[in-house]
Amino acid sequence: MAQVSDKPKFVTREEVKMPPLKELTSMRDKIAPGHRLCTGCVAGTILRQMFMAAEAADYTLIIANATGCVEVCTSIYPYTSWKVPWIHNAFENAAATITGVEAAYKALKKKGMLPSDKKVKFVALAGDGGTYDIGFQSLSGAFERNHDFIYVCYDNEAYMNTGIQRSSATPRHASTTTQPAGKVIPGKPQPKKWMPEIAVAHGIPYVAQLAPSNFNDFFKKFTKALNTEGPSYLNIFCTCPRGWRAKEEEGILISKLAVETNYWPLFEVENGSWKINYKPKERKSVVEFLKKQGRFKHMFKSGNEHLIEELQQDVDKRWERLLKLEQL
Amino acid sequence: MAVRLMTERKVVPYTGNMATAEALRQINPDVVAAYPITPQTEIMHFFANYVANGLVDTEFMTVESEHSALSAAVGAAAAGARAMTATAGPGLALMWEILGVASGMRLPIVIPVVNRALSAPINIHCDHSDMMGARDQGCIMLFSENAEEQYDNVIQAVRIAEDERVRLPVIIGMDGFIISHSIENVSLLTDDEVKKFVGKQTLTHSLLDIDNPVTHGPIAMADSYMEFKRQQREAMMNAYKVIREAGEEFAELKGKKYEHIETYKTEDAEYILIVMGSAAGTAKYTVDGLREKGEKVGLIKVRTFRPFPYYDVVDVIDASNVKAIGVMDRAETFGGYSGPLFEEVCTSLYTRGKIYPITGIVYGLGGRDCNLNHIEEAFDVVKRKAAGMDVPPVTYLNLRV
């Protein structure tokens, strides 16, 4: 395990040098084409963005992937999409698994048995179900033990792999297969669990929220996580056209709207200090974000105006809290 | 427990937990991940002391559950580390899902288990329901009769697990409290001897080999899943041979021979009991007593439960003068005919065309005493069975009425 150091030194955003896009896009993909992710699935985009940042910083990612869309779509035996070391153990234990790998790295390094002395970073990769819900205990334990790893949650706000069931990351009033919008109950009654603040409560050095529509910010945050000693938690917005009943070509647009409406604020927390990285000049109504997605369709029926209001309140409340946290 | 190296062989007064911890220290695993549970906890107290005092090089992970303990061990083993954990009863039950992952991914993780009853009612004492509940998860399973056997079995387990013909997790059970907390004489090997016996692991398909990236734990559909399972069966069959080889080599080192089963006065026996774990010691003593009275009784102790040594068991029974057999299970299979060991023995006999009167005996659940009198009672049941008397499918020993 990593020694608990006082305060890890962060690279500043200014210090992160992003190579020209042309150079980034000409890098050899670490995720091979031919995987079975749905058309328009943004998880694939997120993976490529991660690998670009890792490659630019000369890191090889060693990944433990929780059960979920990415896992099943990229590893159908006898094929694999992964050009980096990758392990799938089960649904609820990506964090425990990757910390075992990290412990093995330290042990074998001591014994002089490492096959390579190149820079590596350990990554646990999971969806919101594998993070907010079933993987929560394993994740919390791994943070507390202060292992040197990045936890990446691609948050598409429901159990998409098993068929769009609600998770604790599903927003209020969204329609899912286990909480469908009906005549009596209009979708999920509870608001979305706010995972980033729970991660921060562990006292880990770096927590950030990212969106694939804001690649520059994404690149900087992933690079910072790479350079952080100890645990980092990255909460990444991930459009799911199938589960959200959105247009396949609008994944990045929806991500952009999530940011512009403050539905998905971009912020980072270094050693407990909060910083909002993007404050929209003119915050758009959450309606702009909702109307692109079939999961919120019932909220636009006449008589359901209060549903939209309630979700707008959830968004505003969170933003206000963020502003307060930033002042701390 | 003393924190010191073993430069010469010694016989020491140790509990089963102390003996297990000493074996772990001498094996010096790369990664140990564990979670406290009675009666296993002590093993990790002792081991943590070795870590704190620099007697091992191990990365010791104090995780937040048994599920994470084995999950971390899976990650570590896939990275090429020699990985271990230890648990008991409900802890093994919580690991259940990942036991199948570890065996399916062919990871040689060594798991000492202090046998404890499962809830409910909650009970911290010995029975074998924990390992029996995990018996079809693809792990090799050994049972130890006493503290020294546990020490010897844990050391051999490293060799067995890592053998290229096998590559499977090994669970080594010892009876909770009866063995884990009782002091006996234990003959220890020196550190060098253990180091030499377990050897150095070879890195195969390591997750840390970034120049040769490997995908571990892919999804296998109906077109390939069954072949994976068939290969596991073959590995388990190979283990039958490898366990024997390890036992023979260990005998050369220590002089004590380990086989799949141990027989006690079975050659001319008319009544045979079959048992696993600490009750075997009590049963041997009872056999001696009954023999003095001229009774032709004998005992088979099963050490290897997975792979089950069906040939060995039948051969021994066949070579005796058996009139009836009693199979003692320290676990229930509610709604089954009798316990899991009983079922294995019956299958072994029937498939070789050997039909003998046989009866199931359940004993010692949740730490219920099993002393000489109870073993004598068990022999009485077997005798009644031999005499053609009416015996129920399962007899409970020492049950309050």
Side-chain angles (χ1 to χ4, degrees):
Chain A
M1 275 156 276
Q3 290 299 308
V4 182
S5 52
D6 287 330
K7 281 189 177 180
K9 284 197 185 74
F10 290 95
V11 285
T12 62
R13 290 174 79 83
E14 292 68 36
E15 279 169 339
V16 177
K17 294 279 177 277
M18 189 165 141
L21 275 179
K22 201 178 165 187
E23 198 177 305
L24 283 173
T25 49
S26 64
M27 282 174 176
R28 285 190 57 153
D29 260 337
K30 295 293 185 198
I31 180 94
H35 58 67
R36 270 84 151 178
L37 288 168
C38 301
T39 313
C41 172
V42 175
T45 315
I46 290 169
L47 292 176
R48 294 189 69 193
Q49 294 188 355
M50 278 167 49
F51 280 126
M52 281 179 195
E55 188 129 326
D58 213 15
Y59 273 96
T60 299
L61 304 182
I62 297 177
I63 297 175
N65 201 165
T67 309
C69 291
V70 167
E71 173 263 328
V72 299
C73 293
T74 55
S75 73
I76 301 178
Y77 184 84
Y79 305 107
T80 179
S81 299
W82 299 94
K83 296 183 181 178
V84 294
W86 182 94
I87 180 170
H88 164 250
N89 185 341
F91 196 177
E92 66 282 43
N93 60 2
T97 306
I98 202 67
T99 57
V101 181
E102 188 248 18
Y105 177 85
K106 287 190 172 132
L108 295 185
K109 192 175 181 182
K110 258 189 281 185
K111 276 167 102 174
M113 277 179 76
L114 279 188
S116 166
D117 54 5
K118 290 180 197 154
K119 283 199 290 187
V120 298
K121 193 74 185 184
F122 301 96
V123 175
L125 176 66
D128 49 291
T131 305
Y132 290 60
D133 290 347
I134 200 170
F136 188 65
Q137 174 183 318
S138 165
L139 167 62
S140 179
F143 281 165
E144 188 272 333
R145 294 193 303 273
N146 204 41
H147 290 272
D148 191 11
F149 76 112
I150 306 173
Y151 192 100
V152 173
C153 171
Y154 61 100
D155 183 355
N156 52 25
E157 306 197 314
Y159 291 87
M160 299 316 188
N161 188 43
T162 42
I164 324 169
Q165 294 85 11
R166 67 87 87 181
S167 76
S168 60
T170 305
R172 199 201 294 265
H173 302 321
S175 181
T176 56
T177 52
T178 48
Q179 282 179 334
K183 281 182 183 147
V184 181
I185 305 168
K188 188 188 178 193
Q190 303 87 358
K192 182 183 175 85
K193 187 198 259 187
W194 203 24
M195 194 59 201
E197 200 170 353
I198 300 172
V200 172
H202 286 81
I204 61 172
Y206 190 61
V207 174
Q209 188 152 281
L210 296 72
S213 50
N214 297 52
F215 178 48
N216 202 308
D217 179 74
F218 187 116
F219 188 94
K220 286 183 174 172
K221 284 172 177 168
F222 200 85
T223 308
K224 288 180 80 162
L226 285 169
N227 287 294
T228 300
E229 200 190 323
S232 298
Y233 176 75
L234 304 181
N235 210 42
I236 307 181
F237 186 85
C238 182
T239 315
C240 171
R242 173 72 189 84
W244 296 2
R245 277 150 284 154
K247 285 185 182 158
E248 287 157 355
E249 65 275 23
E250 291 192 343
I252 296 299
L253 176 64
I254 290 169
S255 168
K256 198 172 174 185
L257 287 169
V259 174
E260 297 296 334
T261 57
N262 283 349
Y263 178 85
W264 195 266
L266 302 177
F267 58 85
E268 63 188 343
V269 191
E270 293 179 6
N271 288 324
S273 300
W274 293 71
K275 184 173 173 17
I276 303 173
N277 305 107
Y278 176 69
K279 292 178 181 168
K281 283 200 185 76
E282 215 173 309
R283 193 268 283 150
K284 286 190 165 75
S285 159
V286 75
V287 168
E288 301 298 310
F289 169 70
L290 301 180
K291 70 182 183 188
K292 291 278 180 194
Q293 305 167 52
R295 61 175 172 155
F296 301 117
K297 200 175 157 193
H298 57 290
M299 295 165 76
F300 291 92
K301 278 188 191 153
S302 81
N304 277 351
E305 292 78 9
H306 66 287
L307 299 181
I308 294 181
E309 273 167 41
E310 280 170 20
L311 189 56
Q312 183 68 63
Q313 280 167 18
D314 285 350
V315 170
D316 292 344
K317 249 176 28 191
R318 193 170 302 149
W319 180 255
E320 277 156 30
R321 174 151 182 83
L322 265 179
L323 291 172
K324 273 188 202 153
L325 288 166
E326 200 181 29
Q327 297 308 314
L328 292 177
Chain B
M1 186 178 180
V3 176
R4 45 112 181 78
L5 302 171
M6 295 292 296
T7 48
E8 55 189 66
R9 286 199 189 188
K10 260 187 190 146
V11 177
V12 293
Y14 265 10
T15 64
N17 280 348
M18 292 163 87
T20 307
E22 191 77 63
L24 258 63
R25 182 189 64 75
Q26 293 181 311
I27 292 163
N28 195 10
D30 298 315
V31 176
V32 170
Y35 186 75
I37 186 165
T38 305
Q40 162 269 28
T41 321
E42 245 189 358
I43 298 175
M44 289 306 152
H45 297 177
F46 300 139
F47 190 72
N49 232 349
Y50 295 139
V51 175
N53 288 288
L55 265 70
V56 287
D57 306 307
T58 309
E59 286 290 319
F60 184 45
M61 299 174 70
T62 47
V63 291
E64 86 299 330
S65 71
E66 289 90 351
H67 194 283
S68 283
L70 189 56
S71 299
V74 163
R82 195 168 259 166
M84 293 177 75
T85 180
T87 190
L92 189 66
L94 188 57
M95 285 181 181
W96 192 86
E97 179 198 20
I98 310 304
L99 290 171
V101 174
S103 63
M105 288 170 70
R106 309 291 297 278
L107 298 172
I109 300 164
V110 172
I111 311 169
V113 166
V114 187
N115 296 118
R116 166 180 161 174
L118 296 179
S119 302
I122 187 169
N123 176 295
I124 57 169
H125 291 278
C126 173
D127 70 38
H128 296 161
S129 53
D130 51 3
M131 275 172 71
M132 289 302 129
R135 72 183 191 269
D136 293 333
Q137 281 296 66
C139 304
I140 291 165
M141 288 187 169
L142 306 176
F143 279 89
S144 306
E145 181 190 324
N146 52 45
E148 180 161 336
E149 279 196 18
Q150 181 71 1
Y151 171 83
D152 294 345
N153 279 337
V154 168
I155 292 166
Q156 290 171 69
V158 177
R159 281 279 296 273
I160 296 162
E162 290 177 7
D163 191 289
E164 272 305 310
R165 294 164 288 177
V166 177
R167 285 191 67 85
L168 288 173
V170 182
I171 298 175
I172 315 101
M174 68 169 149
D175 288 352
F177 291 106
I178 301 163
I179 303 302
S180 68
H181 285 65
S182 305
I183 291 180
E184 307 171 58
N185 278 343
V186 176
S187 158
L188 301 178
L189 296 166
T190 69
D191 293 350
D192 283 344
E193 282 172 327
V194 175
K195 194 176 169 186
K196 208 174 149 204
F197 185 82
V198 297
K200 207 176 167 190
Q201 84 263 39
T202 45
L203 286 189
T204 44
H205 313 304
S206 168
L207 279 171
L208 303 173
D209 189 358
I210 56 175
D211 298 322
N212 302 289
V214 176
T215 290
H216 282 261
I219 178 169
M221 306 300 276
D223 61 348
S224 55
Y225 181 86
M226 218 160 151
E227 282 70 25
F228 279 104
K229 295 299 123 183
R230 174 58 190 232
Q231 285 180 348
Q232 269 178 260
R233 166 162 273 272
E234 279 168 21
M236 195 56 100
M237 292 299 108
N238 291 344
Y240 177 82
K241 197 174 161 211
V242 171
I243 294 167
R244 180 170 277 168
E245 287 171 8
E248 280 163 7
E249 268 189 63
F250 195 79
E252 280 171 32
L253 178 64
K254 204 177 173 185
K256 187 175 177 186
K257 195 165 183 200
Y258 284 88
E259 297 189 65
H260 294 295
I261 60 170
E262 184 187 326
T263 55
Y264 194 70
K265 303 189 178 174
T266 51
E267 295 84 357
D268 62 341
E270 295 171 353
Y271 311 105
I272 292 178
L273 281 180
I274 303 181
V275 74
M276 295 193 293
S278 64
T282 316
K284 285 176 198 165
Y285 196 79
T286 314
V287 165
D288 288 344
L290 292 172
R291 285 256 168 194
E292 275 172 30
K293 292 181 195 163
E295 297 193 31
K296 296 275 176 66
V297 291
L299 176 84
I300 298 174
K301 177 184 89 182
V302 174
R303 171 189 177 231
T304 312
F305 184 74
R306 285 285 181 271
F308 193 78
Y310 37 85
Y311 271 99
D312 306 56
V313 171
V314 175
D315 286 348
V316 169
I317 292 172
D318 232 16
S320 70
N321 298 328
V322 74
K323 288 180 180 165
I325 304 155
V327 184
M328 294 181 59
D329 269 288
R330 200 165 198 147
E332 249 291 8
T333 48
F334 306 103
Y337 190 91
S338 188
L341 184 59
F342 176 89
E343 288 175 4
E344 292 294 346
V345 173
C346 284
T347 307
S348 305
L349 288 165
Y350 185 86
T351 49
R352 291 265 298 272
K354 313 285 183 187
I355 309 298
Y356 298 104
I358 186 163
T359 189
I361 296 155
V362 168
Y363 74 103
L365 302 185
R368 180 60 54 88
D369 245 1
C370 181
N371 61 30
L372 302 179
N373 295 333
H374 307 122
I375 303 283
E376 279 189 21
E377 263 177 54
F379 273 119
D380 283 343
V381 174
V382 177
K383 280 179 226 161
R384 286 208 299 278
K385 185 79 186 172
M389 292 161 78
D390 195 22
V391 173
V394 183
T395 303
Y396 267 57
L397 289 185
N398 197 11
L399 186 71
R400 290 197 341 219
V401 283

